[in-house]
Each structure stands twice: as C-alpha cells, then as structure tokens.
Amino acid sequence: MTKTNIEKPFLGYGLGLRTDHYEEILSGDPEVDWFEIISENYMVKGGRQLYHLDRVKERYPLVMHGVSMSIGSTDPLNKAYLQDLKTLAERVKPEWISDHLCWTSHGGHNTHDLMPLPYNEETLKHVISRVRQVQDYLGRRILLENASSYVTYKASDMTEWEFLTSIAEEADCLILLDVNNIYVSGFNHDFDPKTYIDYIPADRVFQIHLAGHENNGDYIIDTHDHPVIDEVWDLYEYTIKKMGRVTTMIERDDHIPPLSDLLAELQKAREIGETSC
Amino acid sequence: MHGRTEPFLAEIEEGGKIGPEKRLYIYAHAYRARLMEILADDFIALHSLVGDDMFEEICLAYIDAYPSTHPSLRYFGQHMAKFLKENDQYSSIIPAIEMAEFEWTFNDVFDDPDMKSVTVEDVTQIPPEAWTTLRIHLQPSFKMHKFKWNTPAVWSAVNEGDEKPIMPEEYPIQSHCIQWKSDLKCFFRTLSDEEAEVLRSVKAGKGFPQICEMLMGAHNELASSRAAELFKGWVMEGLVADLEYLKS
Ligand SMILES: [Fe+2]
C-alpha cells in the first residue's frame, strides 16, 4: 500500500441534513459539528430546500454526498449531472464531495439504487479512468463510499476491499467508509468485516458513515431506518483503534426520528471516537 | 433493472444463505417500492381521485412505460399526465389527467427560482409619466393551465384534509387556473378568461399600455383603471417579481 501525503482534516461528528429537522437546527444550535447534504436534493433552481441550505451553511461546515454519479456505469459520464454538481459545490463550498462505488444508471435509465460492480481488472481500469475524469472536472479529489450489496457476480475475481483500495490508490481518490455497509455486506456475503477494515488504507479514509439496517434472518437490507446496532458500534470502535480519529456521522434516510434521538446516537459515536484512538 | 431480473440471473454467484433469485428480487423489489413511493408522494390527489387499486395499476404501468431518465428521483413523475393521455385505458378519465398535470405543476413551482415580490410601495414609486413604458415581470414560477373539471377545488379538498371530499364535476366551459410561488409558498387560483388573456400577454412581454388597449373592447374609457385594478391584485398576491420602466 502506498502512503499518501494527503493531509486529512477532521470535522468531528455530524449528521445528514434532513428536511424534518430544518426548523430545529436553525432555531436551536444542536451539538452537531457539521452536516452532510444529499447533493441531488439541492440541484434545483429555488425553493425551500435551497433557502434552508443557505441558512444552515452559514452556521455549519457542510459536505456533499451524491447518489447518482454512477461512477461504475458503462454509460458515458453524465455531463449535465456533473455540471449541476459543480454548480452546487460552488454555492455550498463543501469540505468535500462524495458518491458511491457502484453503478446507478444503464442505457440512460436510472436505478435510483446503488448497484454493485463486478470486481475485476476490467472494471477496475474503467472506474479508475472515470474517477480521474470526474476529479479533473471538479478540480478536487472525491470520496467514494462502499455500498451494501446483495449479489456477487461470477465475473468478480477480487474482493470488494481489494477493489476499493486499488481504485483509491490508482485514481488517487479518497474513501468514505460506511461501517454499517461493511457489516451488511459481510453478513450477506459471508466475509469477516474486520478483514475488510484491516485492508483499507487509513490515510485515505476521510469520513465514516454509521447507520442502521433491517435484519431479515438470512439476509440484511441496508435500510438506514433504524438505530445503529451494537455489532456496528463495535466495528466502529475497531476501525477507530486501527485508523485513528475519523470524521464520522450518523446516516438516517427513512423513519427520520426527532433530532434529539440522532443527537444521542451521535454522542455515542463521539464517545467511541474520542476514546478509542 | 426495471423489475425484470431474469437476464441477470446467469451473472450471479450461487451459494450463501439465500439463492440468486432471492438476491435479485431484493433489488427488483426495492426499485419498484422506491418509485411507487415517490409517485404516491407526488400524486396524492390523483391517488385519492382514482382510488388505491387504480392508482397502483397506473403507477406500475407508468414505471414500465417511463423508466427514470433523470439522476434525481424528483423528476420521475414528470410524464404522468402525458402517460394517462396516451394510454387508452385512462385517456377518457379527464379529471385524472388534469389532476396529474395540476399536481406536477406544483412540484415545478416549488423548485423554480425565487424572486422577491414587488410591493404596493414599489408601485407607488413609479412616476406618472413612466406608466406608458411599464413592463410587468411575473414570478419565474408563474404557470397557467386550462381546466374542464373542478380539478383545483378537488385538489384543495384532498390536501386540506376536508372531511367531505369534493366530487369531480365538469364545468360548463373551460376555466383557467394559475399557480405560482411567492415568499417560498405555493399558491393557485382560478381566474376569468379576460384576466387569463391579459396575463398571457404580460408573460409574453407586452407592456402596460398594450394591456390597456386589450381591455378597451370590453371596458372602453375604463380600460386603464381595469388594467390598474388587475395589476394591483397581482402585486398583492406576490405574483409580480419585477417592474421595468424608463426612469426619467
Ligand atoms: Fe452510507
């Protein structure tokens, strides 16, 4: 593994910015160090979303997290999308921009889901060249996140952690490590999440996602609608012990609870994050 | 994968706690559920109008007919009115088509650019001699549609949770409805044919004197006071975003 000379900022402990919490965030000063926005939700010309975004931006550092870059797709990169992303970044001035290591479009149609890639040399080359193009266009490194998956392709001949690491090192991009997703995929594909974490180059991990999921007994669906489970907290502690402090957030996309519930979860992340390194 | 998983099956590794069919089903199911959910969110009144069964039928057929072509899920329902119009099964259900169009327009209005509305105070600043050069700029979100049915009233009843729903009813003649956003809030109202025609001209860039001229036929010497009355109404409603006139 190559050592990078990237200086890794530490933003502290954050939350995803969700519509339900706008008022509470803006009227109080909740103890959140930063917020992550879903980029696509703000790629509009006006309205409440942008209005609130501008106000939150005045008070908190922001990072942008996208779900539609489709970095692994065989479709050409979506120029209009990248343009919108860049325009939004000029407005938000985020600490960084992330998306997922997956494909979300094929033949011009969008899945609105994070579809896994076959992990092999051919895909590797393809994705590396696209990450470079995106980074050149945006003029900055991007973070790629490991998504949860439910299938393994016959065409794969390497592990996801090998694949992600190669992409990061060869395209010189950064990593958003979703510890819950590692747990979910580990369960669905029978691997040890710690093997995954051990392999990932710590110096490239700029951000961590923690989330909950739905366990259906013989498989787990990554629903982001439950609190973080104990096993994932343990894995988070393991990750921090290995990698040192990393900018961390609680990711909740559905069944959004009151802000206070998320703040309590975030406090737990803070305690683990600050005492485990 | 648009719900069809068979072509992928041969690509998927077997083994593990669940089989490849089940694994692909997770994706197919999530795909459909996600799209159904966004349609249900965007077309609440259409749903209420046609009932659960027909709404589900419409959504499933729509998902097949119009796969998502935009990276943002927010645009997925954009072709709903068109889909209903071109589908034999639904093309005769005019209130449903109108409702789909009306509800979708709100989506667009909501995300359109915001401009501060002109105030009555701003209007009083116009020097008397400048009125002949006045051009009114409407909010960028301004939209106008024609309706054969009482669609806006039905929408209102559904969205305000009225206990007694308003039944769809055909108007004796077509009516117009405008939708716009002011101060981040979306509004709508119906209007007379006359006002609709004037607003269309304003939107097309016609100046205040031309508007007065348009109203001459019906109002004679009162045309300019009628124009001023309409203009004042629009200002009060936050419909006017800017005033353009020659400053002497
Ligand atoms: Fe995540």
Side-chain angles (χ1 to χ4, degrees), chain B residues 129-148:
Chain B
E129 68 278 9
W131 281 78
T132 54
T133 66
L134 175 65
R135 231 180 259 275
I136 299 160
H137 294 278
L138 301 174
Q139 283 291 350
S141 55
F142 170 83
K143 313 260 187 304
M144 180 155 59
H145 287 291
K146 276 187 205 159
F147 293 95
K148 285 186 191 152

Side-chain angles (χ1 to χ4, degrees), chain A residues 78-119:
Chain A
N78 186 334
K79 294 243 172 65
Y81 173 80
L82 290 175
Q83 218 159 43
D84 288 349
L85 191 66
K86 197 172 181 173
T87 307
L88 183 66
E90 278 156 15
R91 180 180 194 130
V92 172
K93 306 213 166 24
E95 302 296 320
W96 54 71
I97 299 174
S98 62
D99 205 292
H100 301 82
L101 183 58
C102 68
W103 60 277
T104 58
S105 61
H106 182 68
H109 294 157
N110 292 272
T111 60
H112 302 292
D113 200 356
L114 313 171
M115 310 302 293
L117 294 163
Y119 302 134

Side-chain angles (χ1 to χ4, degrees), chain A residues 142-159:
Chain A
I142 57 168
L143 278 69
L144 283 182
E145 176 182 352
N146 59 300
S148 299
S149 71
Y150 315 105
V151 296
T152 305
Y153 298 102
K154 286 178 183 163
S156 288
D157 55 19
M158 58 177 93
T159 61

